[in-house]
Amino acid sequence: MSLDTQLPDDGVHVASAISDEVVIELASVNKWFGEFHVLKDINLSVNKGERIVICGPSGSGKSTMIRCINRLEEHQAGDIIVNGTEMGTNIKNIDAIRRNVGMVFQQFNLFPHLTVLENCTLAPIWVKNMPKAEAEKIAMQYLERVKIPEQAAKYPGQLSGGQQQRVAIARSLCMSPTIMLFDEPTSALDPEMISEVLDVMVGLAESGMTMLVVTHEMGFAKRVADRVIFMDQGEIVEQNTPDEFFTNPKSDRTKLFLSQIL
Ligand code: ADP
Ligand code: MG
């Protein structure tokens, strides 16, 4: 498990501009895998511009929860409302939500047979009907933002893990999402590549993006999170500001978890 060493904890918290507008609402969300009750009555409200870090032991339901937000998993009870649209079974609603919600995975999930640039332009061209030249121009802007424009013509297999993850972030941004979900984006990376990805994520936070980030990078949480959520056994056990969460955890389960990772 990663330690608190990848980002200097210089005590500077990235200022946030949280608006009153609620952009994600989970109300009494429950989900089962067969008999297994994986999400138990999850209630969570996220405001525009808010940055939330989600942590908790392996198997606690973190991935399942954020995957429900763009319907990579289907919940069985309760409501999920994203940007005012309810995640029912209506495929139009699901499509609308997916266009607005970008997701970055632990394993990058780039298309290996497409170049970096093609990975970035695929969805804008095919989902948004964007002209190719425009899609390429936008893609290059985002590749510059994640500091790898010179890799545009390469294939993912020719890049380091850190570079691939930055491409994955750029690819997501090319769809102009209003919300970004990250599921352990640095867990598959060699230690020396973690900070180059976290730096990009800090930049995204500075730009005002609404972010939900599953990570155990506590330096990142302290620097960027407005709220840290601790999950265990399918429940949100505790949530607080990073300061309070790390220095004054309330539940025994949180204390145990923190004692294991810090
Ligand atoms: P986390 O991300 O916190 O490690 P997950 O959300 O991946 O946890 O998984 C929560 C629990 O649900 C685990 O016990 C896992 O084995 C189980 N689970 C995840 N996906 C499936 C699935 N597709 N079918 C059955 N069980 C699953
Ligand atoms: Mg997970």
Side-chain angles (χ1 to χ4, degrees):
M1 199 156 291
S2 17
L3 298 176
D4 190 13
T5 50
Q6 301 299 335
L7 271 180
D9 183 15
D10 52 11
V12 182
H13 190 266
V14 174
S16 52
I18 304 176
S19 93
D20 292 342
E21 186 189 342
V22 174
V23 290
I24 302 174
E25 177 94 50
L26 279 72
S28 302
V29 169
N30 283 275
K31 175 172 179 58
W32 290 263
F33 285 121
E35 298 279 293
F36 179 62
H37 198 177
V38 60
L39 295 179
K40 301 171 184 162
D41 240 352
I42 299 286
N43 290 291
L44 175 66
S45 181
V46 182
N47 284 35
K48 188 168 193 280
E50 198 172 3
R51 279 112 36 170
I52 294 183
V53 161
I54 301 160
C55 61
S58 179
S60 56
K62 306 178 299 293
S63 295
T64 304
M65 182 176 83
I66 65 164
R67 290 166 63 86
C68 282
I69 294 173
N70 63 356
R71 206 27 119 77
L72 292 177
E73 296 286 355
E74 192 174 342
H75 63 289
Q76 281 94 36
D79 291 323
I80 299 180
I81 299 165
V82 181
N83 288 328
T85 302
E86 195 195 331
M87 181 77 75
T89 48
N90 182 331
I91 191 72
K92 273 197 179 149
N93 289 357
I94 295 170
D95 265 2
I97 288 172
R98 286 199 183 145
R99 282 177 192 222
N100 275 306
V101 181
M103 180 143 181
V104 173
F105 304 87
Q106 184 174 339
Q107 297 296 344
F108 328 136
N109 294 4
L110 297 172
F111 298 109
H113 59 294
L114 299 180
T115 65
V116 163
L117 187 64
E118 288 163 349
N119 265 279
C120 291
T121 57
L122 189 70
I125 291 173
W126 292 100
V127 179
K128 283 193 163 174
N129 294 319
M130 194 183 280
K132 188 171 176 223
E134 187 186 346
E136 288 183 346
K137 188 171 157 228
I138 291 172
M140 286 310 299
Q141 287 169 356
Y142 283 115
L143 289 171
E144 265 163 44
R145 192 153 147 198
V146 302
K147 303 195 174 72
I148 37 173
E150 73 285 357
Q151 309 292 349
K154 289 198 181 157
Y155 288 87
Q158 298 173 289
L159 306 186
S160 73
Q163 290 172 325
Q164 289 188 56
Q165 192 59 300
R166 285 184 285 150
V167 172
I169 295 172
R171 177 178 65 173
S172 260
L173 294 175
C174 285
M175 287 294 282
S176 310
T178 58
I179 296 165
M180 286 286 289
L181 310 175
F182 292 85
D183 193 358
E184 304 208 33
T186 59
S187 297
L189 298 177
D190 291 334
E192 69 272 19
M193 290 169 192
I194 291 176
S195 62
E196 67 189 49
V197 171
L198 293 179
D199 283 345
V200 167
M201 292 168 63
V202 170
L204 202 53
E206 283 167 341
S207 79
M209 180 66 77
T210 307
M211 297 166 74
L212 267 72
V213 184
V214 177
T215 185
H216 294 151
E217 290 292 337
M218 295 303 145
F220 176 80
K222 287 179 189 168
R223 178 89 157 264
V224 164
D226 300 299
R227 201 172 1 146
V228 180
I229 286 179
F230 174 68
M231 288 184 74
D232 192 18
Q233 297 178 16
E235 296 171 310
I236 294 181
V237 174
E238 180 164 347
Q239 49 183 313
N240 220 325
T241 60
D243 263 1
E244 278 293 304
F245 182 83
F246 292 113
T247 57
N248 192 17
K250 305 244 168 341
S251 92
D252 288 341
R253 286 196 263 177
T254 313
K255 286 176 195 164
L256 177 66
F257 173 76
L258 289 175
S259 74
Q260 287 164 344
I261 65 160
L262 295 182

